[in-house]
Amino acid sequence: MGVTEHRSKETLIAMDRISDLPDSILLHILSFLPTKTAFFTTVLSRRWTHLCHDLQHFDFNQIQFHNGNQTCSDFSSSRKRLFAIVNWFLSRHKAPPIRTFRLTCDLALFDEYTTVEWFIRKVLGPNLQELNLNLQLSIFGLPDRKVVIPNSVFSCASLVTLRLNGGNVTFLSPSSSSCGYRLPSLKTLEMHNVKASIDDVAELLSHCTALETLILDLNCQVSEVGLRIHFPLSLKKLNFRSDFDPLRRIGIECRQQFPSICVSNLHNVEEAIINVTSRGFVLKFIVEFRWLRSLVLGNLVFTCLPQAPPDLIPELTSLRRLELAVGCFDTRYIMNMLEKSPMLKVLVIVFITDFVNKDPHPSRRWEHPVKVPTCLASHLKVIKIKGYFESRDDRDFFAYVLQHGLVLESLDIQVDRARAKELSLLPRSSKACQINFCWNQERTEKRELPHWGVTEHRSKETLIAMDRISNLPDCILLHILSFLPTKTAFSTTVLSRRWTRLCHDLQHFEFKFNQIPVGNLEELLSHFTALETLVLDSVCRSGEEGQLSICFPSLKSFHFKSYLREVLRLLLVIDTPSLKRLAIQAVSGFREIRVRNLHNVEEASIDIYKQSSVLEFLVELCRIRILELGLSVFDCLPEAPPHRIPEFNCLQRLELTVRTFDTRYIMNMLQKCPMLKLLAIVFNRQYVILDPHPSRKWELPGKVPTCLASHLQVITIKRYVKSRDDRDFFAYVLQHGLVLESLDIQVDRAKAEGFPEELSLLPRSSKTCQINFSWLYDYVNERKPEKAGTGK
């Protein structure tokens, strides 16, 4: 083989890194692709053929089977090819079970309806998690023929997501109680233009006990008693639409269609989209939205809600984002909604260009509010106006919000270029407020394409063909970026604005061995709005002063490490209400630590050399289940008065790293952990002290720790070094450990000197207790143990 050929082969091998991934990850990647695209990989090797036959997620779309001609015969032939392929797959697929089935096509012939119903029955099983059917009526279809969803779909216990789309899709009431609705795992239900009885829809929803997302696009007749739906308590996102013909959008026919409205159990909904013409309907829904965080009111709502008396509109105390679709700049409507949203942070106003009126009715003229809305003075940060058209009251509104928006950060307006200069001169109360413009006319203008040469044109086509990763959805790209080091992930921001936005949506941030000023670090972290995991390893400079704030509502895991021997002159502030896992390792400690909202932390590892900081952490960790206290904590916490150490009523596992067998420290911690099940004591043999100070000598406790008498099952001692008080401690725990099952000791065989035999003769109260020994061999260069009081 020549040198050039050899290098080319090495280059190809270096490029093919995906083949090194295990089958489970490759199957996970293939599950995001359409099934036809996934099967293209079978030409690569036998391994990929085997992988495709193990697929559990199927996605079939008629468009992929078109020849490229937009003729009726091509649509018909593509539908036949699609049905033949699906039939071939389902007829031969045996294992593993199907978890996802998506089908998008149009229907024309009578047999095609029956075939789709057979597809549905074939994929149904105890492992099906997602069923997505998008079935549209062909122009040559049968308008009276419907695809009837089998009742067994609505009793599939494993189904998590169900999406039905198409006017030729329907489902019927259960024929008997034995085959009724039962969807205990369903979290997402979407019905678009599905033909069904509203009573059947209501009955179906009453059996979806875990439903979180509901999207209903009704195409059904409502009985004379009106609409009565009992929504599940678990519902978090609701999108309810009722699309009638244009004459009924006035609202009169809509009231006749829904003579009465009854809604309940919506107090857990967090996101909602409403677009109906009935004022009573809108108000009854909003009254139920007690904890709503995001609300979108469509253009049909604009035809009825602005005329409602303000006292009928309830207060939305938890609302953070409000989007209003309007036909004109009705400032009274907008201000009324601001008054009812005291915690609002983002306001979006969208002008519906198809129905826009230049000015609202004279009776809706701008009036200076008597009271400044609470959100405007304290919470509102962003106002966005899309598709804006100049109106009579716009300048008064903008001047008012800029004057009273004390925390306003951004006013984004899509406006004609001529108005921009006038609005930019208005005074602002918030120094951080930015007014950003984009131009209305630029939305419709088409840019002239450059006259490419033949070579340049082909090069561009080649680049587009090579860049297939950009066609992937954001969720997959974020999943891929999560496996990369953060610095590597951020290098993709040079590609395009999309990659910059993706990096700001990263949920995992890891920064190691890059010492940067704290101010720059805080500014960098402020760009991450959805952060869930944060790792900071040796990022602080020695002797630097300032404040490091970790305040992320979504953060679930935080790890901080610093190996500096000089005391960090930093103020560390941690305020993370969603945090589950915490690890702090700062050998030299901080100048000061302020922590709050750590009541949800379940696992924590603390290694800080400052008693006050350790105690402040322990007080906040009231619901901790697993706690590790490092060697630096051993140098300060044993001297703390026992009454200052809080009680851990939920703690089940405690690990203590020690220099010596300080039995008082260990017994004090046992007294504070009444539910403890496992105690681990780890000796740091590099800095071990043979015996504790005489003032720390063993004393018989006045009270037996609650955990020792009722919950403690396992005691593990690693790298144990024999000391003065060990026999007294072991005798005590074996005597009072009523439920103790195992005492595991890792000891040096050469220095045991009959210790295992002596310990095994001690009496035990628990009949099931086993004493187990494992041997630890000294390292060649291990330090000689130091005596008490000699220090490190």
Side-chain angles (χ1 to χ4, degrees):
M1 183 179 291
V3 176
T4 306
E5 293 176 326
H6 179 70
R7 289 179 178 175
S8 300
K9 186 175 182 180
E10 286 184 341
T11 304
L12 289 173
I13 294 173
M15 291 172 62
D16 182 22
R17 297 182 180 179
I18 196 170
S19 295
D20 296 332
L21 298 174
D23 288 358
S24 58
I25 296 181
L26 294 179
L27 282 171
H28 184 66
I29 295 174
L30 290 175
S31 68
F32 292 97
L33 302 177
T35 305
K36 183 180 179 180
T37 306
F39 259 78
F40 285 156
T41 61
T42 57
V43 301
L44 301 177
S45 66
R46 291 184 178 179
R47 182 194 180 194
W48 288 92
T49 304
H50 165 70
L51 284 172
C52 288
H53 285 133
D54 286 343
L55 282 175
Q56 295 179 285
H57 306 269
F58 292 94
D59 186 354
F60 299 99
N61 195 319
Q62 182 178 342
I63 296 178
Q64 295 179 320
F65 296 86
H66 280 185
N67 291 327
N69 300 321
Q70 300 297 322
T71 61
C72 298
S73 60
D74 182 38
F75 280 99
S76 178
S77 60
S78 66
R79 191 165 54 249
K80 291 180 180 179
R81 287 192 294 271
L82 169 66
F83 282 13
I85 291 294
V86 177
N87 183 70
W88 184 87
F89 271 107
L90 297 183
S91 299
R92 288 162 177 76
H93 187 84
K94 295 182 179 180
I98 297 175
R99 297 184 181 275
T100 300
F101 183 74
R102 305 187 187 102
L103 177 64
T104 301
C105 65
D106 54 23
L107 302 176
L109 303 179
F110 184 87
D111 292 343
E112 293 173 351
Y113 292 85
T114 308
T115 303
V116 171
E117 293 173 2
W118 181 83
F119 289 163
I120 299 171
R121 287 192 294 270
K122 188 68 177 177
V123 300
L124 277 178
N127 296 284
L128 185 65
Q129 296 180 352
E130 180 182 346
L131 180 61
N132 191 333
L133 302 176
N134 187 356
L135 309 174
Q136 303 300 328
L137 182 65
S138 171
I139 56 176
F140 300 105
L142 306 173
D144 296 331
R145 183 69 169 94
K146 305 292 180 186
V147 174
V148 180
I149 306 298
N151 286 333
S152 52
V153 171
F154 302 106
S155 59
C156 182
S158 61
L159 201 61
V160 177
T161 301
L162 176 60
R163 294 186 174 94
L164 304 176
N165 188 357
N168 51 356
V169 177
T170 185
F171 65 93
L172 305 177
S173 303
S175 56
S176 65
S177 58
S178 61
C179 58
Y181 301 127
R182 189 175 63 87
L183 295 168
S185 303
L186 193 68
K187 292 186 177 180
T188 300
L189 175 61
E190 296 185 16
M191 290 188 179
H192 300 272
N193 204 25
V194 174
K195 186 71 174 179
S197 165
I198 192 64
D199 297 326
D200 290 339
V201 175
E203 178 69 14
L204 173 63
L205 292 178
S206 66
H207 291 82
C208 301
T209 55
L211 195 64
E212 295 182 358
T213 300
L214 172 64
I215 298 178
L216 291 180
D217 190 352
L218 294 180
N219 180 14
C220 51
Q221 295 296 326
V222 182
S223 58
E224 293 181 358
V225 296
L227 178 65
R228 182 179 294 272
I229 298 179
H230 188 78
F231 292 99
L233 283 168
S234 57
L235 196 64
K236 295 181 179 179
K237 182 176 180 179
L238 173 69
N239 185 339
F240 188 94
R241 293 194 297 270
S242 178
D243 294 331
F244 301 100
D245 58 65
L247 293 178
R248 292 181 178 178
R249 285 189 175 178
I250 302 173
I252 299 173
E253 293 293 332
C254 187
R255 295 191 192 95
Q256 295 175 355
Q257 191 78 357
F258 299 104
S260 65
I261 304 294
C262 180
V263 294
S264 58
N265 285 342
L266 294 181
H267 50 269
N268 286 329
V269 176
E270 296 180 355
E271 303 177 26
I273 302 173
I274 301 177
N275 194 22
V276 293
T277 56
S278 171
R279 182 198 304 175
F281 193 177
V282 176
L283 291 175
K284 286 190 177 183
F285 264 111
I286 296 179
V287 167
E288 282 290 318
F289 292 144
R290 303 174 190 172
W291 305 109
L292 198 64
R293 300 179 65 87
S294 175
L295 175 62
V296 178
L297 298 179
N299 60 303
L300 297 181
V301 176
F302 182 73
T303 63
C304 62
L305 193 60
Q307 284 74 33
D311 58 298
L312 291 182
I313 303 175
E315 191 166 280
L316 302 170
T317 55
S318 300
L319 194 64
R320 300 293 190 274
R321 185 184 188 277
L322 174 63
E323 180 173 326
L324 304 174
V326 298
C328 62
F329 213 141
D330 190 332
T331 53
R332 291 199 189 181
Y333 172 47
I334 298 169
M335 295 305 296
N336 285 340
M337 294 305 299
L338 289 180
E339 289 280 0
K340 301 297 181 176
S341 312
M343 305 295 289
L344 194 68
K345 292 186 176 181
V346 178
L347 171 65
V348 181
I349 302 172
V350 181
F351 282 79
I352 307 301
T353 55
D354 294 338
F355 305 100
V356 72
N357 297 317
K358 187 169 183 179
D359 292 323
H361 193 271
S363 63
R364 308 291 297 172
R365 193 179 183 91
W366 164 264
E367 288 185 357
H368 200 281
V370 179
K371 178 185 175 183
V372 178
T374 304
C375 64
L376 193 57
S378 58
H379 290 84
L380 193 61
K381 294 182 178 181
V382 178
I383 299 177
K384 295 184 178 181
I385 301 179
K386 301 178 181 180
Y388 170 70
F389 283 85
E390 181 182 357
S391 69
R392 176 188 62 210
D393 302 328
D394 58 357
R395 192 185 186 284
D396 295 326
F397 174 80
F398 291 129
Y400 185 84
V401 297
L402 290 173
Q403 179 184 355
H404 296 92
L406 302 183
V407 296
L408 195 62
E409 297 178 358
S410 173
L411 173 59
D412 304 329
I413 309 175
Q414 194 177 42
V415 66
D416 291 332
R417 190 185 295 268
R419 293 295 313 279
K421 184 176 181 181
E422 177 187 355
L423 296 177
S424 62
L425 297 177
L426 293 174
R428 317 166 202 177
S429 294
S430 173
K431 295 181 180 179
C433 181
Q434 299 284 335
I435 302 180
N436 306 311
F437 299 96
C438 63
W439 317 118
N440 272 339
Q441 61 266 30
E442 289 182 359
R443 290 183 301 163
T444 55
E445 289 179 358
K446 295 183 179 179
R447 294 185 177 180
E448 293 183 4
L449 294 175
H451 299 286
W452 299 94
V454 176
T455 305
E456 293 176 320
H457 182 68
R458 289 178 179 175
S459 299
K460 187 177 181 182
E461 286 184 342
T462 304
L463 288 173
I464 294 174
M466 292 174 61
D467 182 21
R468 296 183 179 178
I469 196 171
S470 295
N471 296 326
L472 298 175
D474 288 358
C475 58
I476 299 181
L477 295 178
L478 283 171
H479 185 66
I480 295 173
L481 291 175
S482 67
F483 291 99
L484 302 178
T486 304
K487 187 176 181 180
T488 306
F490 256 79
S491 62
T492 62
T493 57
V494 302
L495 300 177
S496 67
R497 292 183 179 178
R498 182 193 180 195
W499 287 93
T500 303
R501 177 177 56 80
L502 283 173
C503 287
H504 289 156
D505 289 340
L506 282 175
Q507 296 180 335
H508 306 277
F509 184 93
E510 187 171 344
F511 208 60
K512 292 185 176 181
F513 308 111
N514 287 277
Q515 296 183 358
I516 61 175
V518 174
N520 295 352
L521 178 60
E522 282 208 318
E523 183 181 357
L524 177 64
L525 294 177
S526 66
H527 295 288
F528 295 86
T529 56
L531 205 60
E532 291 188 358
T533 302
L534 176 61
V535 179
L536 301 179
D537 191 345
S538 301
V539 297
C540 296
R541 295 179 175 180
S542 176
E544 185 177 11
E545 297 183 357
Q547 175 175 321
L548 177 59
S549 298
I550 308 298
C551 303
F552 298 97
S554 59
L555 193 65
K556 295 180 180 179
S557 179
F558 175 49
H559 297 257
F560 180 92
K561 292 184 181 180
S562 174
Y563 301 100
L564 298 175
R565 289 296 173 185
E566 183 179 352
V567 176
L568 293 176
R569 299 190 179 94
L570 290 177
L571 168 61
L572 177 64
V573 179
I574 302 178
D575 185 357
T576 51
S578 300
L579 197 67
K580 298 291 185 182
R581 292 171 295 277
L582 171 68
I584 301 288
Q585 183 178 356
V587 177
S588 53
F590 293 89
R591 171 171 60 87
E592 186 181 353
I593 294 180
R594 299 175 187 170
V595 294
R596 52 184 176 270
N597 285 333
L598 298 184
H599 48 273
N600 286 323
V601 176
E602 296 180 353
E603 302 177 26
S605 175
I606 300 175
D607 194 10
I608 303 174
Y609 182 68
K610 193 172 183 181
Q611 187 183 110
S612 60
S613 299
V614 175
L615 290 173
E616 188 165 353
F617 267 111
L618 296 182
V619 169
E620 279 290 321
L621 299 173
C622 53
R623 298 181 183 175
I624 194 78
R625 296 174 64 86
I626 300 175
L627 177 62
E628 297 179 11
L629 299 179
L631 188 63
S632 299
V633 176
F634 180 78
D635 294 333
C636 62
L637 192 59
E639 309 300 331
H643 67 275
R644 294 196 60 192
I645 301 175
E647 192 165 285
F648 303 98
N649 293 318
C650 299
L651 191 65
Q652 296 185 1
R653 187 183 190 278
L654 174 64
E655 181 175 317
L656 305 174
T657 302
V658 299
R659 300 183 191 276
T660 183
F661 214 141
D662 191 332
T663 53
R664 290 198 189 182
Y665 172 48
I666 298 170
M667 295 306 296
N668 285 340
M669 293 305 298
L670 289 180
Q671 293 282 2
K672 302 295 182 178
C673 309
M675 306 295 290
L676 193 68
K677 293 184 177 181
L678 189 149
L679 170 66
I681 302 173
V682 182
F683 282 80
N684 188 303
R685 292 173 64 88
Q686 187 176 4
Y687 300 107
V688 73
I689 301 174
L690 193 59
D691 291 323
H693 193 272
S695 63
R696 308 292 297 175
K697 192 172 182 177
W698 165 265
E699 287 185 358
L700 193 66
K703 177 186 176 183
V704 178
T706 304
C707 65
L708 194 58
S710 59
H711 290 83
L712 192 60
Q713 298 175 353
V714 179
I715 299 178
T716 302
I717 301 178
K718 301 178 182 179
R719 301 194 289 271
Y720 170 69
V721 178
K722 189 177 180 182
S723 67
R724 178 187 62 208
D725 302 328
D726 55 2
R727 190 184 185 283
D728 296 325
F729 174 81
F730 292 128
Y732 184 84
V733 297
L734 289 173
Q735 179 185 355
H736 296 90
L738 302 182
V739 295
L740 195 64
E741 297 178 359
S742 174
L743 174 59
D744 305 326
I745 305 176
Q746 189 184 46
V747 64
D748 182 5
R749 185 195 294 266
K751 299 179 181 180
E753 300 175 359
F755 172 71
E757 293 79 8
E758 179 185 359
L759 194 60
S760 61
L761 296 176
L762 293 175
R764 317 169 200 176
S765 295
S766 173
K767 295 181 180 181
T768 60
C769 181
Q770 298 285 335
I771 301 179
N772 307 311
F773 295 93
S774 60
W775 309 116
L776 174 70
Y777 295 93
D778 287 341
Y779 296 101
V780 176
N781 298 322
E782 185 182 32
R783 291 192 178 186
K784 186 177 180 180
E786 301 178 9
K787 295 182 180 180
T790 59
K792 294 182 182 180

